[in-house]
Amino acid sequence: PMGPIRCRPMPFYHRPGRTLRPLSAPAPATATSDTTTQATASGPMSTAEVGYAVIDLETTGLSPAADSIIEVGIVLLDPDGATQRSWSTLVDPGASVDVGPTFIHGLADLLVRDLAGRAVVAHNARFDVGFLTQALGALGRLNRGARIPRVCTMELARSYITTPSRRLVTCCESAGVRIGSHHCALD
């Protein structure tokens, strides 16, 4: 079992495919319990060195400012696309959307650790990244004005497959990908 994770605000970076420059000073070189290193003594790492975080969020609505995340599913990939690990969790948005003392359950810190330095991959990445930015910023885990590097499979779909729509289910069917419950974040 993992103990509490202590993290500084998430050091998200500028555009993927370029050398990643943190918006705040990089953390000292540290290695996590897996093989991922978040920063090196020589400076920030490129996305090609760190990899990707394929993410899906289920939410209470469509507005990051007014609605809440209720489920997170994440698959971490190395730079070559091999799966490193995955996890999902339900989130209780509560009446006031306050998820309580995050130091107890560590969800925000786990997200910070797993997303730091990676490009976020999502179908309709603008939507998911908007919710991540709002939620992590409100918890003080994301630097103000940080830009999250992202890859949007919905945008890429028009270049790689022919479908009547770019909805996730339609794209998966067209590509021959079996999708479980499309309203279950990890599926």
Side-chain angles (χ1 to χ4, degrees):
M2 217 182 316
I5 301 167
R6 305 282 186 234
C7 294
R8 299 178 346 177
M10 189 175 296
F12 274 123
Y13 300 91
H14 293 281
R15 301 175 189 202
R18 298 183 181 182
T19 300
L20 299 175
R21 296 184 322 249
L23 295 174
S24 60
T30 58
T32 58
S33 60
D34 62 347
T35 59
T36 304
T37 300
Q38 300 303 327
T40 65
S42 62
M45 300 173 71
S46 72
T47 303
E49 295 173 90
V50 178
Y52 304 90
V54 181
I55 194 162
D56 187 35
L57 304 176
E58 297 301 324
T59 64
T60 59
L62 301 176
S63 169
D67 298 308
S68 302
I69 297 170
I70 57 173
E71 185 178 13
V72 176
I74 187 168
V75 178
L76 300 176
L77 306 176
D78 71 14
D80 295 322
T83 301
Q84 294 175 310
R85 70 178 178 278
S86 63
W87 59 270
S88 67
T89 188
L90 295 172
V91 178
D92 179 1
S96 65
V97 188
D98 180 6
V99 295
T102 59
F103 67 89
I104 293 173
H105 56 71
L107 179 59
D109 289 338
L110 182 59
L111 272 169
V112 167
R113 185 197 71 189
D114 283 353
L115 295 177
R118 294 178 186 263
V120 172
V121 180
H123 200 76
N124 193 0
R126 183 177 180 197
F127 178 86
D128 290 314
V129 169
F131 272 90
L132 281 174
T133 300
Q134 179 71 24
L136 294 174
L139 292 171
R141 298 296 199 276
L142 182 65
N143 296 333
R144 184 176 178 95
R147 293 188 57 202
I148 298 174
R150 61 185 177 213
V151 176
C152 182
T153 58
M154 187 173 79
E155 291 175 13
L156 291 173
R158 72 175 74 146
S159 300
Y160 293 99
I161 57 179
T162 304
T163 64
S165 79
R166 290 186 289 145
R167 290 182 49 233
L168 179 60
V169 174
T170 307
C171 289
C172 287
E173 287 172 357
S174 180
V177 174
R178 186 173 177 267
I179 187 169
S181 173
H182 71 280
H183 288 295
C184 177
L186 194 56
D187 283 356

